[in-house]
């Protein structure tokens, strides 16, 4: 049975990498999906329409750090789908970042990482929550990272930004609960997304072996490993679950 039949979702960063898998998984469970990314998601929207029926998916080229673009995205989603039940805050600067000592990180890069990873998630939640409040139901899934538990070196901007996402999730859960809205952090371990493999082999080299060694389940992690947890957080199965971190990493950290 489709667990998200009749639901509508926005997936930020939904055109590429792990986000592309999230978009497909939500559509596969019956949701209509707005794919929002700085990359063009037209091909994916067409693929989802042909697989699940016309009107399943739309795409929007949107920079989540820009409030006017976020407002336009939310308005377009409401115009097209009539409501928003699920928000997946997945867009982030991750693969684009190269490891460097924190004393070498430029202020401009630091600020850009915070603008996309933290402000972007805030802006999306801010403008989507208004609509969720009216219907007294919603699911916000913020994508964190296992790096926040260990504080990996040479990614200080990224790790700090994902720590902020966890804190934001907790504080927003206290405001959103009375409106029937659940908000949680999904924290993946090191995942061999198509984008990290193709675009950041240096990071794969430093992370892959250690990630397996730290896990209880000793193997590589791939995007499909996250989809069961994603659908759980997006569906009514998690209606009494909010403000939490759900770590999916083969048992590397125990939350
Ligand atoms: N791959 C991993 O090991 C791993 C581990 C933990 C958490 N994560 C998180 O999972 C998510 C996806 O990771 P990924 O491996 O697919 O990396 P990725 O860098 O390929 O994914 C980021 C996505 O966000 C989009 N994006 C970037 N800036 C944007 C902006 N300003 N506005 C809108 N979209 C923007 C990108 O085009 C891309 O689709 C990220 O939040 C990442 O931090 C990844």
């Amino acid at each position: 049975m489709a667990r998200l039949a009749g639901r509508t979702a926005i997936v930020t960063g939904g055109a590429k990498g792990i986000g592309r898998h999230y978009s497909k998984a939500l559509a596969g469970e019956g949701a209509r999906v707005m794919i929002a990314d700085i990359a063009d998601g037209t091909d994916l929207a067409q693929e989802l329409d042909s697989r699940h029926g016309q009107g399943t998916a739309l795409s929007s080229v949107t920079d989540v750090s820009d409030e006017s673009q976020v407002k336009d995205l939310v308005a377009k989603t409401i115009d097209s789908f009539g409501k928003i039940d699920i928000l997946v805050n997945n867009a982030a600067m991750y693969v684009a970042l190269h490891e460097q000592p924190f004393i070498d990180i430029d202020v401009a890069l630091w600020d850009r990482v915070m603008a996309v990873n933290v402000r972007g998630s805030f802006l999306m939640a801010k403008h989507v929550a208004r609509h969720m409040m009216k219907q007294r139901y919603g699911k916000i899934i913020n994508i964190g990272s296992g790096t926040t538990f260990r504080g990996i070196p040479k990614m200080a901007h990224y790790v700090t930004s994902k720590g902020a996402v966890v804190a934001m999730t907790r504080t927003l859960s206290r405001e959103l609960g009375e409106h029937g809205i659940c908000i949680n952090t999904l924290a993946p371990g090191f995942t061999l997304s198509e984008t990290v493999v193709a675009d950041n082999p240096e990071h794969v080299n430093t992370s892959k072996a250690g990630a397996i060694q730290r896990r209880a389940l000793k193997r590589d992690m791939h995007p499909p490993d996250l989809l069961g947890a994603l659908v759980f957080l997006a569906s009514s199965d998690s209606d009494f679950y909010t403000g939490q971190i759900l770590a999916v990493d083969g048992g590397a950290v125990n939350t």
Side-chain angles (χ1 to χ4, degrees), residues 12-19 22 36-39 62-65 89-96 112 116 143-146 158 162 188-193 195-196:
T12 70
K16 292 169 59 184
I18 302 173
Y22 293 154
D37 202 311
I38 48 170
T62 301
D63 179 345
V64 295
S65 70
N89 266 325
N90 167 79
M93 287 192 71
Y94 169 59
V95 165
R112 185 66 192 148
V116 176
I143 304 302
S145 166
Y158 176 76
K162 291 294 184 174
F190 178 66
T191 308
L192 291 171
S193 61
T195 44
V196 81

Side-chain angles (χ1 to χ4, degrees), residues 52-76:
H52 303 292
Q54 208 60 33
T56 296
L58 289 169
S59 66
S60 170
V61 174
T62 301
D63 179 345
V64 295
S65 70
D66 181 325
E67 188 162 28
S68 65
Q69 292 188 42
V70 168
K71 282 183 180 171
D72 289 348
L73 166 69
V74 171
K76 184 176 163 186

Side-chain angles (χ1 to χ4, degrees), residues 2 110-111 159 235:
W110 177 274
D111 286 351
V159 178
S235 76

Side-chain angles (χ1 to χ4, degrees), residues 157-251:
H157 36 19
Y158 176 76
V159 178
T160 304
S161 74
K162 291 294 184 174
V165 167
V166 170
M168 182 167 60
T169 303
R170 289 177 175 155
T171 185
L172 296 192
S173 74
R174 305 287 173 184
E175 294 191 41
L176 292 171
E178 66 181 285
H179 301 284
I181 300 166
C182 298
I183 178 168
N184 291 288
T185 302
L186 175 59
F190 178 66
T191 308
L192 291 171
S193 61
E194 288 82 353
T195 44
V196 81
V197 170
D199 302 335
N200 202 338
E202 170 207 14
H203 188 56
V204 174
N205 279 341
T206 49
S207 306
K208 187 171 142 59
I212 295 174
Q213 186 262 324
R214 280 188 300 276
R215 288 176 184 144
L217 302 168
K218 298 209 179 292
R219 65 162 173 81
D220 281 323
M221 178 169 169
H222 298 278
D225 290 316
L226 289 156
L227 302 180
L230 176 87
V231 172
F232 165 69
L233 292 175
S235 76
S236 57
D237 287 353
S238 58
D239 277 355
F240 201 55
Y241 188 78
T242 195
Q244 310 297 333
I245 303 177
L246 181 50
V248 177
D249 62 3

Side-chain angles (χ1 to χ4, degrees), residues 9-57:
I10 298 178
V11 183
T12 70
K16 292 169 59 184
I18 302 173
R20 193 174 177 95
H21 293 264
Y22 293 154
S23 299
K24 288 183 183 184
L26 297 179
E29 287 289 343
R32 284 176 292 169
V33 181
M34 173 63 82
I35 302 154
D37 202 311
I38 48 170
D40 185 8
T42 311
D43 68 315
L44 178 57
Q46 286 168 350
E47 183 186 323
L48 295 179
D49 272 4
S50 61
R51 190 176 306 159
H52 303 292
Q54 208 60 33
T56 296

Side-chain angles (χ1 to χ4, degrees), residues 101-151:
F102 84 94
I103 55 174
D104 294 335
I105 294 176
D106 282 343
V107 167
L109 178 61
W110 177 274
D111 286 351
R112 185 66 192 148
V113 174
M114 298 306 150
V116 176
N117 298 12
V118 186
R119 189 210 294 161
S121 298
F122 158 68
L123 289 174
M124 287 299 306
K126 174 182 172 183
H127 291 287
V128 165
R130 298 170 194 276
H131 296 281
M132 291 178 169
M133 284 174 180
K134 282 185 212 149
Q135 64 187 18
R136 298 202 52 77
Y137 187 83
K139 301 282 187 175
I140 300 177
I141 303 160
N142 291 331
I143 304 302
S145 166
T147 61
T148 60
F149 302 107
R150 293 191 305 116

